[in-house]
Amino acid sequence: MQSAERNALADDSLALARKVQANDQAGVQAATIPEFASNFSGIASAITTVSPKLAGKSAEVEQVYILDASSNTRNADGTFPNAEFFCTLNGGKNAEADFSIPGLPPGRYAFAMVDFVGSSPWTLSMLLRQDSSGSPWKLAGLFPKEDSAAGHDGLWYWRQGRTMAASKEPWVAYIYYQQARQLLQPAVFVSSTHLESLRSESSNALPPELANGISADSPLLVKGDDGTAYRFFSIAPDNGLHADKLDIAIHMQMDPSITDPAVAEKRNRDAMSAFLKQHPALRQNFRGVWVFAEAPNRPPVTTVAAMNEIH
């Protein structure tokens, strides 16, 4: 990328990011590709949510990448394939950023990351498209992300995950590694040499019970003292309360035979207790637990409790 092109891309990215910061929805819409500008409600909602988080922070362009998909052609069924891009980082030979964007129509695209620096930092990542040489870059995707959780950045959680894995606390490490990836990955279609290192390291430190993964089709079975079985299909970090420690968010299968809300609430609390009895180290490292009991065509039953409330 020539410096003039880089500067133009950085300038357009920064101008768009500042419009988001100012909640200038009309300005962002005017600088959005026609396909999304005509159906702007999703982006508008994201701007409304994130703009207060960016108030008072200074904006700095961190990275920009050109992603040329001009030669992308349709599949036989009329859809577009994944567009794959491999970008060397800072001219180095051993580090790169990779992009795998599904269903990307032909065009000249860019990916920009704008940091908002302050006490609670955020990054606005944007997919951009340039419709003709020298024309302004327009928004084709907006990906806001908080850069810290419970007062720590992604590298801190990566280091803590490594420490906990070495200390034979795989469940604490598992959740810390997840938080590290959430904070360090700018968008779901972006990877890098460093993120692949994190993925590999975290995979090697998985709790033995999760060696075959965890999902709705392959849930983790946790039993209480009374023999009741709870089936968890997701266990992840949660920073929704913005406390001084992370929470643990557990999604589990609902017992469809339970219709009494009080009984469903007790079942959620019993599931928390059963899980923590098996993995007591989690009590010292996290603030509390959320349980979401879910079933098709039923509203979830949600319960949250601090560690000292779980017995």
Short mmCIF file of all heavy atoms in Angstrom, two decimals, residues 125-189:
data_model
loop_
_atom_site.label_atom_id
_atom_site.label_comp_id
_atom_site.label_asym_id
_atom_site.label_seq_id
_atom_site.Cartn_x
_atom_site.Cartn_y
_atom_site.Cartn_z
N SER A 125 -13.83 -1.53 14.77
CA SER A 125 -13.33 -2.13 13.55
C SER A 125 -14.39 -1.96 12.47
O SER A 125 -15.59 -2.06 12.75
CB SER A 125 -13.00 -3.61 13.75
OG SER A 125 -11.95 -3.75 14.69
N MET A 126 -13.93 -1.70 11.25
CA MET A 126 -14.86 -1.44 10.16
C MET A 126 -14.41 -2.15 8.89
O MET A 126 -13.22 -2.13 8.56
CB MET A 126 -14.93 0.08 9.89
CG MET A 126 -15.51 0.88 11.03
SD MET A 126 -15.39 2.67 10.76
CE MET A 126 -13.65 2.92 11.15
N LEU A 127 -15.36 -2.77 8.22
CA LEU A 127 -15.14 -3.24 6.87
C LEU A 127 -15.60 -2.12 5.94
O LEU A 127 -16.70 -1.57 6.10
CB LEU A 127 -15.93 -4.52 6.59
CG LEU A 127 -15.71 -5.17 5.23
CD1 LEU A 127 -14.29 -5.69 5.10
CD2 LEU A 127 -16.72 -6.31 5.01
N LEU A 128 -14.75 -1.73 5.00
CA LEU A 128 -15.02 -0.60 4.11
C LEU A 128 -14.95 -1.06 2.66
O LEU A 128 -14.30 -2.06 2.34
CB LEU A 128 -13.99 0.51 4.35
CG LEU A 128 -13.84 0.99 5.80
CD1 LEU A 128 -12.59 1.84 5.96
CD2 LEU A 128 -15.07 1.77 6.24
N ARG A 129 -15.61 -0.31 1.78
CA ARG A 129 -15.55 -0.61 0.35
C ARG A 129 -15.34 0.68 -0.44
O ARG A 129 -15.92 1.72 -0.11
CB ARG A 129 -16.84 -1.29 -0.13
CG ARG A 129 -16.72 -1.87 -1.54
CD ARG A 129 -17.99 -2.61 -1.93
NE ARG A 129 -19.05 -1.69 -2.32
CZ ARG A 129 -20.34 -2.03 -2.42
NH1 ARG A 129 -20.72 -3.26 -2.15
NH2 ARG A 129 -21.24 -1.14 -2.79
N GLN A 130 -14.49 0.57 -1.46
CA GLN A 130 -14.23 1.70 -2.35
C GLN A 130 -14.78 1.34 -3.72
O GLN A 130 -14.34 0.39 -4.35
CB GLN A 130 -12.73 1.98 -2.42
CG GLN A 130 -12.38 3.24 -3.18
CD GLN A 130 -10.88 3.46 -3.24
OE1 GLN A 130 -10.12 2.52 -3.58
NE2 GLN A 130 -10.41 4.66 -2.91
N ASP A 131 -15.75 2.12 -4.20
CA ASP A 131 -16.44 1.75 -5.44
C ASP A 131 -15.69 2.13 -6.70
O ASP A 131 -15.94 1.56 -7.77
CB ASP A 131 -17.84 2.37 -5.44
CG ASP A 131 -18.76 1.69 -4.43
OD1 ASP A 131 -18.53 0.50 -4.14
OD2 ASP A 131 -19.67 2.35 -3.91
N SER A 132 -14.77 3.07 -6.62
CA SER A 132 -13.92 3.40 -7.77
C SER A 132 -12.63 3.99 -7.25
O SER A 132 -12.56 4.51 -6.12
CB SER A 132 -14.63 4.40 -8.70
OG SER A 132 -14.92 5.60 -8.02
N SER A 133 -11.57 3.90 -8.04
CA SER A 133 -10.26 4.36 -7.61
C SER A 133 -10.31 5.83 -7.21
O SER A 133 -10.81 6.68 -7.94
CB SER A 133 -9.25 4.18 -8.76
OG SER A 133 -7.98 4.63 -8.36
N GLY A 134 -9.84 6.10 -6.00
CA GLY A 134 -9.79 7.47 -5.52
C GLY A 134 -11.06 7.95 -4.86
O GLY A 134 -11.07 9.05 -4.27
N SER A 135 -12.14 7.18 -4.93
CA SER A 135 -13.39 7.59 -4.30
C SER A 135 -13.31 7.33 -2.79
O SER A 135 -12.49 6.55 -2.32
CB SER A 135 -14.57 6.85 -4.91
OG SER A 135 -14.49 5.46 -4.61
N PRO A 136 -14.18 7.98 -2.00
CA PRO A 136 -14.14 7.75 -0.54
C PRO A 136 -14.45 6.30 -0.18
O PRO A 136 -15.21 5.62 -0.88
CB PRO A 136 -15.23 8.70 -0.02
CG PRO A 136 -15.44 9.70 -1.10
CD PRO A 136 -15.17 8.99 -2.38
N TRP A 137 -13.85 5.87 0.90
CA TRP A 137 -14.17 4.55 1.44
C TRP A 137 -15.49 4.62 2.19
O TRP A 137 -15.72 5.55 2.98
CB TRP A 137 -13.06 4.07 2.37
CG TRP A 137 -11.79 3.72 1.67
CD1 TRP A 137 -10.73 4.54 1.44
CD2 TRP A 137 -11.47 2.47 1.08
NE1 TRP A 137 -9.75 3.88 0.75
CE2 TRP A 137 -10.17 2.59 0.52
CE3 TRP A 137 -12.12 1.24 0.98
CZ2 TRP A 137 -9.53 1.54 -0.13
CZ3 TRP A 137 -11.49 0.18 0.33
CH2 TRP A 137 -10.21 0.34 -0.21
N LYS A 138 -16.36 3.64 1.96
CA LYS A 138 -17.67 3.64 2.60
C LYS A 138 -17.83 2.42 3.51
O LYS A 138 -17.25 1.36 3.26
CB LYS A 138 -18.78 3.68 1.55
CG LYS A 138 -18.84 4.99 0.79
CD LYS A 138 -20.17 5.16 0.08
CE LYS A 138 -20.33 6.60 -0.42
NZ LYS A 138 -21.69 6.83 -1.00
N LEU A 139 -18.65 2.59 4.52
CA LEU A 139 -18.86 1.55 5.54
C LEU A 139 -19.60 0.35 4.95
O LEU A 139 -20.65 0.50 4.33
CB LEU A 139 -19.65 2.12 6.71
CG LEU A 139 -19.82 1.22 7.93
CD1 LEU A 139 -18.48 1.00 8.63
CD2 LEU A 139 -20.83 1.83 8.90
N ALA A 140 -19.03 -0.85 5.19
CA ALA A 140 -19.67 -2.09 4.76
C ALA A 140 -19.83 -3.07 5.92
O ALA A 140 -20.25 -4.21 5.73
CB ALA A 140 -18.86 -2.75 3.64
N GLY A 141 -19.50 -2.62 7.13
CA GLY A 141 -19.63 -3.46 8.31
C GLY A 141 -19.03 -2.75 9.51
O GLY A 141 -17.96 -2.15 9.39
N LEU A 142 -19.71 -2.81 10.65
CA LEU A 142 -19.25 -2.11 11.85
C LEU A 142 -19.15 -3.10 12.99
O LEU A 142 -20.11 -3.84 13.27
CB LEU A 142 -20.24 -1.00 12.21
CG LEU A 142 -19.93 -0.15 13.44
CD1 LEU A 142 -18.66 0.67 13.21
CD2 LEU A 142 -21.11 0.79 13.76
N PHE A 143 -17.99 -3.11 13.68
CA PHE A 143 -17.72 -4.12 14.71
C PHE A 143 -17.11 -3.44 15.94
O PHE A 143 -15.90 -3.42 16.11
CB PHE A 143 -16.78 -5.20 14.17
CG PHE A 143 -17.21 -5.72 12.82
CD1 PHE A 143 -16.65 -5.21 11.65
CD2 PHE A 143 -18.19 -6.69 12.72
CE1 PHE A 143 -17.06 -5.67 10.41
CE2 PHE A 143 -18.60 -7.16 11.48
CZ PHE A 143 -18.03 -6.66 10.33
N PRO A 144 -17.95 -2.88 16.83
CA PRO A 144 -17.43 -2.26 18.05
C PRO A 144 -17.09 -3.31 19.09
O PRO A 144 -17.76 -4.34 19.21
CB PRO A 144 -18.58 -1.36 18.50
CG PRO A 144 -19.81 -2.00 17.94
CD PRO A 144 -19.40 -2.71 16.68
N LYS A 145 -16.05 -3.04 19.88
CA LYS A 145 -15.61 -4.02 20.87
C LYS A 145 -14.91 -3.33 22.02
O LYS A 145 -14.02 -2.50 21.82
CB LYS A 145 -14.67 -5.04 20.22
CG LYS A 145 -14.16 -6.12 21.14
CD LYS A 145 -13.24 -7.07 20.41
CE LYS A 145 -11.98 -6.36 19.95
NZ LYS A 145 -11.15 -5.89 21.08
N GLU A 146 -15.32 -3.67 23.24
CA GLU A 146 -14.62 -3.18 24.42
C GLU A 146 -13.29 -3.91 24.54
O GLU A 146 -13.20 -5.12 24.28
CB GLU A 146 -15.48 -3.43 25.66
CG GLU A 146 -15.01 -2.72 26.89
CD GLU A 146 -16.00 -2.79 28.04
OE1 GLU A 146 -16.97 -3.57 27.95
OE2 GLU A 146 -15.80 -2.06 29.03
N ASP A 147 -12.24 -3.19 24.93
CA ASP A 147 -10.90 -3.77 24.94
C ASP A 147 -10.44 -4.24 26.31
O ASP A 147 -9.29 -4.66 26.47
CB ASP A 147 -9.89 -2.73 24.41
CG ASP A 147 -10.07 -2.48 22.92
OD1 ASP A 147 -10.58 -3.38 22.23
OD2 ASP A 147 -9.73 -1.38 22.46
N SER A 148 -11.29 -4.15 27.31
CA SER A 148 -10.93 -4.65 28.64
C SER A 148 -12.15 -5.27 29.28
O SER A 148 -13.29 -4.98 28.90
CB SER A 148 -10.37 -3.53 29.52
OG SER A 148 -11.37 -2.55 29.79
N ALA A 149 -11.91 -6.12 30.25
CA ALA A 149 -12.98 -6.77 31.01
C ALA A 149 -12.52 -6.87 32.45
O ALA A 149 -11.40 -7.34 32.72
CB ALA A 149 -13.30 -8.15 30.44
N ALA A 150 -13.36 -6.39 33.36
CA ALA A 150 -13.02 -6.40 34.78
C ALA A 150 -11.65 -5.74 35.02
O ALA A 150 -10.87 -6.19 35.86
CB ALA A 150 -13.05 -7.81 35.35
N GLY A 151 -11.36 -4.70 34.24
CA GLY A 151 -10.15 -3.92 34.46
C GLY A 151 -8.89 -4.46 33.82
O GLY A 151 -7.80 -3.91 34.06
N HIS A 152 -8.98 -5.50 32.99
CA HIS A 152 -7.79 -6.10 32.41
C HIS A 152 -7.96 -6.27 30.90
O HIS A 152 -9.07 -6.49 30.41
CB HIS A 152 -7.50 -7.46 33.05
CG HIS A 152 -7.29 -7.40 34.53
ND1 HIS A 152 -6.20 -6.81 35.11
CD2 HIS A 152 -8.08 -7.84 35.55
CE1 HIS A 152 -6.29 -6.90 36.43
NE2 HIS A 152 -7.42 -7.52 36.73
N ASP A 153 -6.84 -6.22 30.18
CA ASP A 153 -6.89 -6.38 28.73
C ASP A 153 -6.69 -7.84 28.33
O ASP A 153 -6.49 -8.73 29.18
CB ASP A 153 -5.86 -5.47 28.05
CG ASP A 153 -4.41 -5.81 28.40
OD1 ASP A 153 -4.14 -6.89 28.98
OD2 ASP A 153 -3.52 -4.99 28.08
N GLY A 154 -6.73 -8.08 27.03
CA GLY A 154 -6.65 -9.45 26.54
C GLY A 154 -5.33 -10.14 26.84
O GLY A 154 -5.31 -11.34 27.13
N LEU A 155 -4.24 -9.40 26.78
CA LEU A 155 -2.94 -10.01 27.08
C LEU A 155 -2.86 -10.45 28.54
O LEU A 155 -2.24 -11.48 28.85
CB LEU A 155 -1.81 -9.03 26.75
CG LEU A 155 -1.60 -8.76 25.25
CD1 LEU A 155 -0.52 -7.70 25.05
CD2 LEU A 155 -1.23 -10.03 24.51
N TRP A 156 -3.47 -9.68 29.43
CA TRP A 156 -3.49 -10.08 30.85
C TRP A 156 -4.21 -11.41 31.00
O TRP A 156 -3.71 -12.31 31.70
CB TRP A 156 -4.19 -9.01 31.68
CG TRP A 156 -4.13 -9.25 33.17
CD1 TRP A 156 -3.17 -8.83 34.04
CD2 TRP A 156 -5.10 -9.99 33.96
NE1 TRP A 156 -3.47 -9.26 35.32
CE2 TRP A 156 -4.64 -9.97 35.30
CE3 TRP A 156 -6.29 -10.66 33.66
CZ2 TRP A 156 -5.35 -10.59 36.34
CZ3 TRP A 156 -6.98 -11.28 34.68
CH2 TRP A 156 -6.51 -11.24 36.01
N TYR A 157 -5.36 -11.56 30.35
CA TYR A 157 -6.10 -12.82 30.46
C TYR A 157 -5.34 -13.97 29.81
O TYR A 157 -5.40 -15.11 30.29
CB TYR A 157 -7.50 -12.67 29.86
CG TYR A 157 -8.43 -11.91 30.77
CD1 TYR A 157 -8.77 -10.58 30.50
CD2 TYR A 157 -8.94 -12.50 31.92
CE1 TYR A 157 -9.61 -9.88 31.35
CE2 TYR A 157 -9.77 -11.81 32.78
CZ TYR A 157 -10.10 -10.49 32.50
OH TYR A 157 -10.92 -9.79 33.35
N TRP A 158 -4.62 -13.69 28.74
CA TRP A 158 -3.80 -14.73 28.11
C TRP A 158 -2.73 -15.20 29.10
O TRP A 158 -2.55 -16.41 29.31
CB TRP A 158 -3.16 -14.16 26.84
CG TRP A 158 -2.47 -15.18 25.97
CD1 TRP A 158 -2.06 -16.43 26.32
CD2 TRP A 158 -2.08 -15.00 24.60
NE1 TRP A 158 -1.44 -17.05 25.26
CE2 TRP A 158 -1.44 -16.20 24.19
CE3 TRP A 158 -2.20 -13.94 23.70
CZ2 TRP A 158 -0.93 -16.35 22.91
CZ3 TRP A 158 -1.69 -14.11 22.42
CH2 TRP A 158 -1.07 -15.30 22.02
N ARG A 159 -2.04 -14.25 29.72
CA ARG A 159 -1.00 -14.63 30.69
C ARG A 159 -1.59 -15.38 31.88
O ARG A 159 -1.01 -16.36 32.36
CB ARG A 159 -0.25 -13.39 31.16
CG ARG A 159 0.65 -12.76 30.09
CD ARG A 159 1.57 -11.71 30.69
NE ARG A 159 0.82 -10.57 31.21
CZ ARG A 159 0.59 -9.46 30.51
NH1 ARG A 159 1.02 -9.35 29.26
NH2 ARG A 159 -0.07 -8.45 31.06
N GLN A 160 -2.74 -14.91 32.37
CA GLN A 160 -3.37 -15.58 33.50
C GLN A 160 -3.86 -16.97 33.13
O GLN A 160 -3.77 -17.91 33.93
CB GLN A 160 -4.55 -14.75 34.01
CG GLN A 160 -4.14 -13.47 34.73
CD GLN A 160 -3.30 -13.74 35.96
OE1 GLN A 160 -2.10 -13.44 35.98
NE2 GLN A 160 -3.90 -14.30 36.98
N GLY A 161 -4.35 -17.12 31.90
CA GLY A 161 -4.74 -18.45 31.44
C GLY A 161 -3.55 -19.40 31.45
O GLY A 161 -3.66 -20.56 31.89
N ARG A 162 -2.42 -18.92 30.97
CA ARG A 162 -1.20 -19.73 30.95
C ARG A 162 -0.77 -20.10 32.38
O ARG A 162 -0.40 -21.25 32.66
CB ARG A 162 -0.10 -18.95 30.24
CG ARG A 162 1.21 -19.70 30.08
CD ARG A 162 2.19 -18.84 29.31
NE ARG A 162 1.70 -18.57 27.95
CZ ARG A 162 2.10 -17.54 27.22
NH1 ARG A 162 2.95 -16.65 27.72
NH2 ARG A 162 1.63 -17.38 25.99
N THR A 163 -0.85 -19.13 33.29
CA THR A 163 -0.47 -19.39 34.68
C THR A 163 -1.40 -20.41 35.31
O THR A 163 -0.94 -21.34 36.01
CB THR A 163 -0.52 -18.08 35.48
OG1 THR A 163 0.44 -17.16 34.94
CG2 THR A 163 -0.21 -18.32 36.95
N MET A 164 -2.69 -20.28 35.08
CA MET A 164 -3.65 -21.21 35.66
C MET A 164 -3.50 -22.61 35.07
O MET A 164 -3.64 -23.62 35.77
CB MET A 164 -5.07 -20.70 35.47
CG MET A 164 -5.39 -19.48 36.32
SD MET A 164 -5.26 -19.87 38.09
CE MET A 164 -5.43 -18.24 38.80
N ALA A 165 -3.19 -22.69 33.79
CA ALA A 165 -2.97 -24.00 33.17
C ALA A 165 -1.75 -24.67 33.81
O ALA A 165 -1.78 -25.87 34.11
CB ALA A 165 -2.78 -23.85 31.67
N ALA A 166 -0.69 -23.89 34.01
CA ALA A 166 0.53 -24.44 34.63
C ALA A 166 0.28 -24.84 36.08
O ALA A 166 0.94 -25.74 36.61
CB ALA A 166 1.65 -23.42 34.55
N SER A 167 -0.68 -24.17 36.74
CA SER A 167 -1.01 -24.47 38.14
C SER A 167 -2.04 -25.59 38.26
O SER A 167 -2.58 -25.81 39.36
CB SER A 167 -1.53 -23.21 38.83
OG SER A 167 -0.57 -22.18 38.81
N LYS A 168 -2.36 -26.25 37.15
CA LYS A 168 -3.31 -27.37 37.13
C LYS A 168 -4.72 -26.90 37.53
O LYS A 168 -5.44 -27.60 38.25
CB LYS A 168 -2.85 -28.52 38.03
CG LYS A 168 -1.43 -28.99 37.77
CD LYS A 168 -1.24 -29.47 36.34
CE LYS A 168 0.17 -29.96 36.08
NZ LYS A 168 0.42 -30.32 34.67
N GLU A 169 -5.09 -25.73 37.06
CA GLU A 169 -6.46 -25.22 37.24
C GLU A 169 -7.06 -25.02 35.85
O GLU A 169 -7.26 -23.90 35.39
CB GLU A 169 -6.45 -23.91 38.04
CG GLU A 169 -5.96 -24.03 39.46
CD GLU A 169 -6.89 -24.86 40.34
OE1 GLU A 169 -7.99 -25.25 39.87
OE2 GLU A 169 -6.52 -25.13 41.49
N PRO A 170 -7.36 -26.11 35.14
CA PRO A 170 -7.75 -25.99 33.73
C PRO A 170 -9.07 -25.25 33.51
O PRO A 170 -9.25 -24.62 32.48
CB PRO A 170 -7.83 -27.45 33.26
CG PRO A 170 -8.07 -28.24 34.51
CD PRO A 170 -7.31 -27.52 35.58
N TRP A 171 -9.99 -25.32 34.49
CA TRP A 171 -11.27 -24.64 34.29
C TRP A 171 -11.12 -23.13 34.37
O TRP A 171 -11.74 -22.39 33.59
CB TRP A 171 -12.31 -25.14 35.29
CG TRP A 171 -12.97 -26.38 34.78
CD1 TRP A 171 -12.70 -27.67 35.14
CD2 TRP A 171 -13.99 -26.45 33.79
NE1 TRP A 171 -13.49 -28.54 34.44
CE2 TRP A 171 -14.30 -27.82 33.60
CE3 TRP A 171 -14.68 -25.50 33.04
CZ2 TRP A 171 -15.26 -28.25 32.69
CZ3 TRP A 171 -15.64 -25.92 32.14
CH2 TRP A 171 -15.93 -27.28 31.98
N VAL A 172 -10.31 -22.66 35.30
CA VAL A 172 -10.03 -21.22 35.36
C VAL A 172 -9.32 -20.79 34.09
O VAL A 172 -9.66 -19.77 33.48
CB VAL A 172 -9.19 -20.87 36.61
CG1 VAL A 172 -8.94 -19.36 36.67
CG2 VAL A 172 -9.89 -21.35 37.88
N ALA A 173 -8.33 -21.58 33.67
CA ALA A 173 -7.60 -21.26 32.44
C ALA A 173 -8.53 -21.23 31.24
O ALA A 173 -8.44 -20.33 30.39
CB ALA A 173 -6.49 -22.30 32.22
N TYR A 174 -9.45 -22.19 31.17
CA TYR A 174 -10.38 -22.27 30.03
C TYR A 174 -11.18 -20.98 29.87
O TYR A 174 -11.34 -20.45 28.77
CB TYR A 174 -11.31 -23.47 30.26
CG TYR A 174 -12.43 -23.62 29.28
CD1 TYR A 174 -12.20 -23.92 27.94
CD2 TYR A 174 -13.76 -23.48 29.70
CE1 TYR A 174 -13.25 -24.08 27.05
CE2 TYR A 174 -14.82 -23.63 28.82
CZ TYR A 174 -14.55 -23.93 27.49
OH TYR A 174 -15.58 -24.08 26.61
N ILE A 175 -11.69 -20.46 30.97
CA ILE A 175 -12.51 -19.26 30.91
C ILE A 175 -11.64 -18.04 30.64
O ILE A 175 -12.00 -17.14 29.86
CB ILE A 175 -13.34 -19.11 32.18
CG1 ILE A 175 -14.29 -20.32 32.31
CG2 ILE A 175 -14.14 -17.81 32.16
CD1 ILE A 175 -15.03 -20.40 33.63
N TYR A 176 -10.46 -17.97 31.22
CA TYR A 176 -9.55 -16.84 30.96
C TYR A 176 -9.10 -16.82 29.50
O TYR A 176 -9.02 -15.76 28.88
CB TYR A 176 -8.33 -16.91 31.88
CG TYR A 176 -8.56 -16.37 33.28
CD1 TYR A 176 -7.66 -16.64 34.31
CD2 TYR A 176 -9.67 -15.59 33.59
CE1 TYR A 176 -7.85 -16.13 35.59
CE2 TYR A 176 -9.87 -15.10 34.86
CZ TYR A 176 -8.95 -15.36 35.86
OH TYR A 176 -9.14 -14.87 37.12
N TYR A 177 -8.79 -17.97 28.96
CA TYR A 177 -8.39 -18.02 27.54
C TYR A 177 -9.52 -17.53 26.63
O TYR A 177 -9.28 -16.83 25.64
CB TYR A 177 -7.99 -19.43 27.15
CG TYR A 177 -6.57 -19.84 27.51
CD1 TYR A 177 -6.31 -21.05 28.15
CD2 TYR A 177 -5.48 -19.04 27.16
CE1 TYR A 177 -5.01 -21.45 28.45
CE2 TYR A 177 -4.19 -19.43 27.45
CZ TYR A 177 -3.95 -20.63 28.11
OH TYR A 177 -2.67 -21.02 28.40
N GLN A 178 -10.75 -17.91 26.95
CA GLN A 178 -11.88 -17.41 26.15
C GLN A 178 -11.97 -15.90 26.21
O GLN A 178 -12.20 -15.23 25.19
CB GLN A 178 -13.19 -18.02 26.66
CG GLN A 178 -13.40 -19.48 26.33
CD GLN A 178 -14.77 -19.92 26.78
OE1 GLN A 178 -15.78 -19.60 26.15
NE2 GLN A 178 -14.82 -20.65 27.87
N GLN A 179 -11.80 -15.34 27.42
CA GLN A 179 -11.88 -13.89 27.55
C GLN A 179 -10.75 -13.22 26.78
O GLN A 179 -10.95 -12.17 26.15
CB GLN A 179 -11.82 -13.49 29.02
CG GLN A 179 -12.03 -12.00 29.26
CD GLN A 179 -13.40 -11.53 28.80
OE1 GLN A 179 -14.41 -11.84 29.42
NE2 GLN A 179 -13.45 -10.80 27.70
N ALA A 180 -9.58 -13.81 26.80
CA ALA A 180 -8.45 -13.25 26.04
C ALA A 180 -8.80 -13.17 24.57
O ALA A 180 -8.57 -12.13 23.92
CB ALA A 180 -7.20 -14.11 26.26
N ARG A 181 -9.36 -14.23 24.02
CA ARG A 181 -9.69 -14.22 22.59
C ARG A 181 -10.78 -13.19 22.28
O ARG A 181 -10.71 -12.48 21.28
CB ARG A 181 -10.12 -15.61 22.12
CG ARG A 181 -10.30 -15.67 20.60
CD ARG A 181 -10.51 -17.05 20.06
NE ARG A 181 -10.50 -17.04 18.59
CZ ARG A 181 -9.41 -17.21 17.86
NH1 ARG A 181 -8.24 -17.41 18.44
NH2 ARG A 181 -9.48 -17.17 16.53
N GLN A 182 -11.79 -13.11 23.14
CA GLN A 182 -12.85 -12.13 22.91
C GLN A 182 -12.29 -10.71 22.85
O GLN A 182 -12.75 -9.89 22.05
CB GLN A 182 -13.90 -12.22 24.02
CG GLN A 182 -14.77 -13.46 23.95
CD GLN A 182 -15.78 -13.52 25.08
OE1 GLN A 182 -16.08 -12.52 25.72
NE2 GLN A 182 -16.29 -14.71 25.36
N LEU A 183 -11.32 -10.42 23.68
CA LEU A 183 -10.76 -9.07 23.72
C LEU A 183 -9.76 -8.81 22.60
O LEU A 183 -9.63 -7.67 22.13
CB LEU A 183 -10.09 -8.82 25.07
CG LEU A 183 -11.03 -8.76 26.28
CD1 LEU A 183 -10.22 -8.73 27.57
CD2 LEU A 183 -11.97 -7.56 26.20
N LEU A 184 -9.06 -9.83 22.16
CA LEU A 184 -7.98 -9.64 21.19
C LEU A 184 -8.43 -9.80 19.74
O LEU A 184 -7.76 -9.31 18.83
CB LEU A 184 -6.85 -10.63 21.48
CG LEU A 184 -6.11 -10.40 22.81
CD1 LEU A 184 -5.13 -11.54 23.08
CD2 LEU A 184 -5.37 -9.07 22.81
N GLN A 185 -9.55 -10.47 19.51
CA GLN A 185 -10.01 -10.68 18.13
C GLN A 185 -10.92 -9.54 17.72
O GLN A 185 -11.99 -9.34 18.30
CB GLN A 185 -10.74 -12.02 18.01
CG GLN A 185 -11.14 -12.36 16.59
CD GLN A 185 -11.76 -13.76 16.48
OE1 GLN A 185 -12.38 -14.24 17.44
NE2 GLN A 185 -11.60 -14.39 15.35
N PRO A 186 -10.55 -8.76 16.70
CA PRO A 186 -11.36 -7.59 16.35
C PRO A 186 -12.71 -7.90 15.72
O PRO A 186 -13.66 -7.13 15.86
CB PRO A 186 -10.46 -6.82 15.37
CG PRO A 186 -9.53 -7.84 14.82
CD PRO A 186 -9.31 -8.84 15.92
N ALA A 187 -12.82 -9.02 15.02
CA ALA A 187 -14.08 -9.45 14.41
C ALA A 187 -14.00 -10.95 14.18
O ALA A 187 -12.90 -11.52 14.08
CB ALA A 187 -14.34 -8.71 13.09
N VAL A 188 -15.16 -11.61 14.06
CA VAL A 188 -15.17 -13.07 14.01
C VAL A 188 -14.47 -13.61 12.77
O VAL A 188 -14.01 -14.76 12.77
CB VAL A 188 -16.60 -13.62 14.08
CG1 VAL A 188 -17.23 -13.32 15.41
CG2 VAL A 188 -17.46 -13.06 12.95
N PHE A 189 -14.37 -12.81 11.71
CA PHE A 189 -13.75 -13.31 10.47
C PHE A 189 -12.27 -12.97 10.39
O PHE A 189 -11.63 -13.18 9.36
CB PHE A 189 -14.48 -12.74 9.24
CG PHE A 189 -14.61 -11.23 9.21
CD1 PHE A 189 -13.55 -10.43 8.80
CD2 PHE A 189 -15.78 -10.62 9.60
CE1 PHE A 189 -13.66 -9.06 8.77
CE2 PHE A 189 -15.91 -9.24 9.57
CZ PHE A 189 -14.85 -8.46 9.16
#
